[in-house]
Amino acid sequence: MSESKQDGFKTLGWILNKSESGLFLAVAGEKQQTEIREVYQAGRVGIYDYRQHPERYAFQRLNEWFDSLPTGRTFLIFNFQFAVQGPEDLKRLNFSRDMLAGLGKNLIFFTTGYGDEQLSRGAYDFYSFIKIKIIFPEHEMPMKQEPLDNSEKLLLRAEKIRKELFGEDHPQTGKAYYELACMYQKKGIYTNAEKFYKRALDIRKTVFGENHPDTAACCAGLAFVFGREGKYRDSEELYKRALAVYEIVPGEECRDLVKAYKGLCCIYNRQGRFKESEELLRKAVSVQEKYLGERHLDTLKSYCDLASVCDKTGKYAEAEEFYQKALSAGEEVLGEGSAIMAKCYCGLADVYEGQEQYQTAEEFYKKAFEIEEKALPENYVDRRKCCSSLAQMYKKQGRYQEAEKFYKKIVEIDENSVGKNDMATAGSYYDLAHIYEKQGLYTEAEEWYRKALNFSESVSGEYDPFTISIYHNLAAVCTELGKYTEAERLFEKLLPLCEKIFGEAHDLTAASYRLLFRLYDRTGKPEEVKRISERINIK
């Protein structure tokens, strides 16, 4: 873990342990915010997530939530970038600055890098009251600068020639910009894609006007790029501009219209706005049924997408209906052994598991797994989802031997797909170790916990919550194996980290002290037993 990330967790720990009140800002990617929330939800802190409560910022709404937790001193507000997206939101935030500070609580607002940029530009009053700004660097490795490939060389050459022949603002030059943007988008080089989409859009708006399909294509492309960059408000605006054109002129087989619907659905899904996403997907399905028919592969995929959103909003009957439609069409168009069919079965199983119909869910998970075993390569990442769902469901039911089988498969998939030196693989080692621990197979559990720890310590560092969790579980396993000296050494490292990162009131801190109490009791250290007993009673 980079020094700045370790410092981030240390600072959060300091706020939890030492700060009486204040406004704090934490800048972290959406995935990181989810991980941080999962770490601290076991502590005595209030957690509010704007992804789970999609709405614009209003002090009154947030204050009502504070009032519902009268004994709370520290509150973590996640995905604040969804709540503050426009000038009116920024005005409300600036206006409520003194009210937020006057609450006398620790308020930690989590936002993305783009969200931080918006706050720093438009929420000056709020920003001036921030005591500490914490930055968590993104997980992604910096992109390696690759040499130009042939397609990139040819497109750059075409751009140069067209500029020389036609000038900067000619439609042919705009076409060159658009082709370059599409290429960079496919490569995931979004900064370059954004630059060329903007150039192409300026030309096409001037030459063709706002309501031309070529202009709409630029809007949709730029919207996709903004979405990838986390600029959701800008992305939504551009998708809507594209849809205003495509809904009048759907294009050949309505593909452009449906693609724009689905692009905007992705933006809504990332913000937890599933109701709006569902409305758009219903439109997409309606258009595809009209133009392509119910048995078309693209319609089938849309049935799956709509079913997934219905599942997320608790509309299980409709989710089941659309998955069954997809399966019916898939059997006719693709046959039983298609990877898409496996995805449908897995989605349908999710629906049944969400309703605690585990027997039916298991049946469909197994169908999906059997298809994937035959249809997909051993290291294919899509196989992981089904294995993970089965493993977690079996674990939840206490069927640990069956869960073990699938956790082993996940380890194989991760080692073959991302390699042994990856945090995802370390996570699968941890899960396998935990299932061994649940079965009382402590020797096997120790082996896999140490594999996870070796990588986590070297890459993430000892202040990472994942590393701390491994210390805790490994100490427990060593205690059960009678390796008391090693267990005590781990506790000496573990407890200061728990208190520093999670705070004294966190569940993991309390559980660690209880484990240490048991260790001292077993090893006949009455003075230490008394000391820990008094601490547990106090805390």
Side-chain angles (χ1 to χ4, degrees), residues 282 285 303-304 306-307 310 318-326:
R282 288 185 185 277
V285 164
Y303 287 148
C304 285
L306 181 52
C310 287
E318 288 184 85
E320 182 181 351
E321 176 192 344
F322 283 110
Y323 274 128
Q324 292 288 10
K325 265 192 166 185

Side-chain angles (χ1 to χ4, degrees), residues 481-510:
L481 288 169
K483 297 181 178 182
Y484 300 131
T485 303
E486 173 64 7
E488 191 168 355
R489 184 189 69 81
L490 286 163
F491 280 122
E492 286 173 0
K493 180 175 280 192
L494 167 66
L495 288 166
L497 290 170
C498 281
E499 292 182 347
K500 192 166 189 174
I501 301 301
F502 303 136
E504 295 181 350
H506 194 277
D507 286 356
L508 191 66
T509 309

Side-chain angles (χ1 to χ4, degrees), residues 20-183:
E20 292 296 328
S21 65
L23 305 184
F24 305 89
L25 187 66
V27 182
E30 290 171 30
K31 184 178 178 182
Q32 284 183 307
Q33 289 189 47
T34 300
E35 293 169 356
I36 295 166
R37 188 191 69 219
E38 288 173 355
V39 166
Y40 286 102
Q41 65 189 6
R44 292 181 189 172
V45 297
I47 290 179
Y48 194 88
D49 192 337
Y50 276 101
R51 185 190 290 280
Q52 295 173 350
H53 305 279
E55 58 193 7
R56 294 299 175 88
Y57 170 75
F59 173 78
Q60 183 178 356
R61 177 72 187 88
L62 211 53
N63 194 39
E64 288 171 0
W65 173 64
F66 296 144
D67 288 343
S68 71
L69 301 166
T71 60
R73 182 170 65 89
T74 300
F75 297 86
L76 279 58
I77 300 102
F78 288 96
N79 287 302
F80 198 52
Q81 72 276 5
F82 298 151
V84 182
Q85 295 195 26
E88 292 304 313
D89 305 325
L90 292 165
K91 282 181 186 176
R92 287 196 299 275
L93 181 59
N94 279 328
F95 181 76
S96 65
R97 177 198 69 177
D98 292 327
M99 292 184 281
L100 287 168
L103 292 171
K105 301 179 184 296
N106 289 316
L107 306 182
I108 309 173
F109 294 88
F110 287 81
T111 188
T112 59
Y114 179 68
D116 176 47
E117 184 182 325
Q118 298 295 99
L119 292 174
S120 65
R121 288 179 178 176
Y124 313 107
D125 293 338
F126 170 78
Y127 221 85
S128 68
F129 266 40
I130 295 296
K131 280 189 173 181
I132 299 174
K133 178 176 170 181
I134 311 164
I135 298 178
F136 289 86
E138 294 289 344
H139 285 311
E140 291 80 8
M141 297 295 289
M143 185 169 282
K144 184 181 176 183
Q145 187 66 43
E146 298 288 347
L148 298 182
D149 59 24
N150 286 334
S151 62
E152 189 173 359
K153 286 178 183 176
L154 288 171
L155 286 172
L156 287 169
R157 187 178 174 192
E159 176 213 4
K160 183 180 179 182
I161 292 170
R162 288 179 186 181
K163 277 200 292 189
E164 289 172 354
L165 286 175
F166 304 114
E168 287 274 358
D169 301 323
H170 194 276
Q172 286 295 325
T173 309
K175 185 180 179 182
Y177 291 148
Y178 180 76
E179 290 168 349
L180 277 165
C182 292
M183 179 203 63

